[in-house]
Amino acid sequence: MLLLLLMGASFGVGLSYDSYNELDYGTTYKMLLHRNAQYIAFRPEYDSNAVILWERNNPSASDNSRQKVMGSYYVISNLTQRDSGHYIIRDSAQNILSTRTIVVVASTKSDAVSTGKEFSFTFDLEPKFCNIYFFPKSDSEVRNDIVHQGRLQKSLDESDCSGFELLKPCGISNKAIQRSCSGHFEVRDQNGDKALVVMLHVETKHYDPSYLAIAIAACLAALFCCCCVKCCCCGKRSSENDDSKTSAARPAMHHHAYDGEPARTHYPAQPSYTPTGPLIHHPPAVNMPPAFEISAPAEKEDAPTVPLCSDHEPRFEVKGLTSTLPLSSDSGFCDVYTSDKLNYL
């Protein structure tokens, strides 16, 4: 029972308590107001003097547009380092109801890239309030101005770390970062408060053995394919040369179209014999035997190609002028008829 009485008394007079909050630059903080709260006083982190931020009977006393009461909360938007400090809430009797400690820090990030790679960052800050500085790792006391009030500085081209371009709203980019850019970058507002700190480590580019092995394998495969293509071309040319030589050495052959019948031997027609002068001077009248009608034997499929001699049809030959050739190339007779009546020589 005694414990309950003590707790009720504590709530009746308003028990004070403290809180500590570390917040990033640019964030929003909401502070719950006690129902008996009458004042909110602010004492900066490094200052003993306190100022009144809010008074219930005079809500418009504060001239800071980023700080206002919304329902049961006292809201501070777009925090900066200037908002770091102690917020003391008092009642009408000036008793402390609560104390809230806020510490605003810059947002931080770390990045590691290889030389020649792209590097960039940006921050949500109005361009006219944008300032970016670079502090090299080799000498962190040296400050290089990259952007001032939203404008890229030309003097940066004279430093070892150069080649930057401006990014909106407040940032920079480098298409091929250099090793001399190892260090940290700071984004600050118009009051010099740190909004963002970027730690950069630029690594020397190393060749990956796996990529090297893949490249070597690809080269060997390409070389092998080229050799195979070359060998195939050489073999084809050699085969073509052998075929041409074989065709040249092979005797020409005449091909006849076969239409189902055996081939027939055709002899060229001999020109008709026309004597240019008389063979016999003053030949006497001679009774010549009757002319015989000559007909060629019928052709058979298996008949020999050489004409056969007839056993029943004679031919005439002048006695004393024996000739092995017939009187005509078309003659196919073997019988010889010898007559003394034609021998005038």
Side-chain angles (χ1 to χ4, degrees):
M1 181 65 69
L2 181 60
L3 181 59
L4 293 176
L5 291 175
L6 290 175
M7 292 178 61
S10 298
F11 283 108
V13 298
L15 185 63
S16 65
Y17 65 95
D18 295 337
S19 66
Y20 178 87
N21 302 276
E22 185 174 298
L23 305 171
D24 288 342
Y25 182 101
T27 59
T28 299
Y29 177 70
K30 294 181 178 182
M31 186 186 307
L32 180 63
L33 293 175
H34 194 275
R35 67 176 183 271
N36 295 327
Q38 293 293 326
Y39 306 96
I40 297 178
F42 172 66
R43 187 175 73 241
E45 187 175 4
Y46 301 104
D47 194 347
S48 58
N49 297 323
V51 295
I52 300 299
L53 297 178
W54 173 82
E55 185 177 352
R56 187 179 291 275
N57 296 328
N58 187 14
S60 62
S62 175
D63 59 352
N64 194 334
S65 60
R66 297 184 298 106
Q67 302 176 4
K68 61 183 68 176
V69 175
M70 300 178 63
S72 300
Y73 291 90
Y74 184 76
V75 180
I76 306 175
S77 59
N78 297 322
L79 288 171
T80 70
Q81 278 81 3
R82 294 177 181 270
D83 297 319
S84 296
H86 308 283
Y87 294 81
I88 304 168
I89 302 175
R90 297 178 183 269
D91 60 11
S92 58
Q94 296 297 319
N95 295 317
I96 298 177
L97 299 177
S98 64
T99 300
R100 307 293 177 89
T101 301
I102 296 176
V103 177
V104 179
V105 298
S107 299
T108 60
K109 62 179 296 186
S110 298
D111 201 354
V113 296
S114 300
T115 55
K117 297 295 183 179
E118 183 178 359
F119 167 73
S120 64
F121 66 85
T122 188
F123 190 80
D124 188 13
L125 189 66
E126 290 187 29
K128 63 180 180 180
F129 300 146
C130 176
N131 301 282
I132 302 177
Y133 307 101
F134 169 63
F135 298 85
K137 185 178 181 180
S138 57
D139 189 356
S140 59
E141 299 297 328
V142 177
R143 190 185 79 176
N144 297 315
D145 295 358
I146 300 178
V147 178
H148 179 67
Q149 294 182 354
R151 296 182 179 181
L152 193 66
Q153 300 301 293
K154 300 298 183 181
S155 59
L156 185 64
D157 296 337
E158 301 175 359
S159 66
D160 295 335
C161 182
S162 60
F164 289 97
E165 297 178 359
L166 188 63
L167 289 181
K168 299 294 183 180
C170 182
I172 55 175
S173 68
N174 194 315
K175 299 297 183 182
I177 199 68
Q178 307 153 16
R179 188 175 183 181
S180 57
C181 293
S182 292
H184 73 276
F185 299 81
E186 293 183 0
V187 178
R188 299 184 183 182
D189 61 13
Q190 72 279 11
N191 298 317
D193 294 335
K194 294 180 183 180
L196 175 67
V197 177
V198 180
M199 309 297 296
L200 176 63
H201 176 66
V202 182
E203 302 173 341
T204 303
K205 189 174 182 180
H206 297 286
Y207 292 100
D208 192 343
S210 61
Y211 291 127
L212 183 60
I214 293 174
I216 293 175
C219 293
L220 291 176
L223 182 62
F224 178 75
C225 292
C226 291
C227 292
C228 290
V229 172
K230 187 175 181 180
C231 290
C232 291
C233 292
C234 292
K236 184 176 181 181
R237 292 176 182 174
S238 177
S239 177
E240 291 177 355
N241 293 336
D242 292 342
D243 291 343
S244 61
K245 292 179 180 179
T246 303
S247 300
R250 186 181 301 166
M253 297 180 66
H254 299 282
H255 300 276
H256 300 277
Y258 291 89
D259 54 358
E261 296 182 0
R264 301 174 182 176
T265 303
H266 299 277
Y267 294 95
Q270 295 290 338
S272 58
Y273 176 75
T274 304
T276 59
L279 297 178
I280 303 174
H281 299 281
H282 306 288
V286 178
N287 294 325
M288 297 293 294
F292 295 94
E293 184 178 358
I294 303 172
S295 61
E299 294 179 355
K300 297 181 181 180
E301 291 186 359
D302 297 332
T305 57
V306 180
L308 301 177
C309 296
S310 176
D311 294 335
H312 304 284
E313 296 181 0
R315 68 175 182 176
F316 295 94
E317 184 177 291
V318 180
K319 187 176 182 180
L321 295 178
T322 304
S323 174
T324 60
L325 295 176
L327 294 178
S328 173
S329 61
D330 294 333
S331 177
F333 308 111
C334 296
D335 295 336
V336 179
Y337 182 85
T338 303
S339 175
D340 294 334
K341 296 181 179 180
L342 298 179
N343 189 5
Y344 298 100
L345 299 178

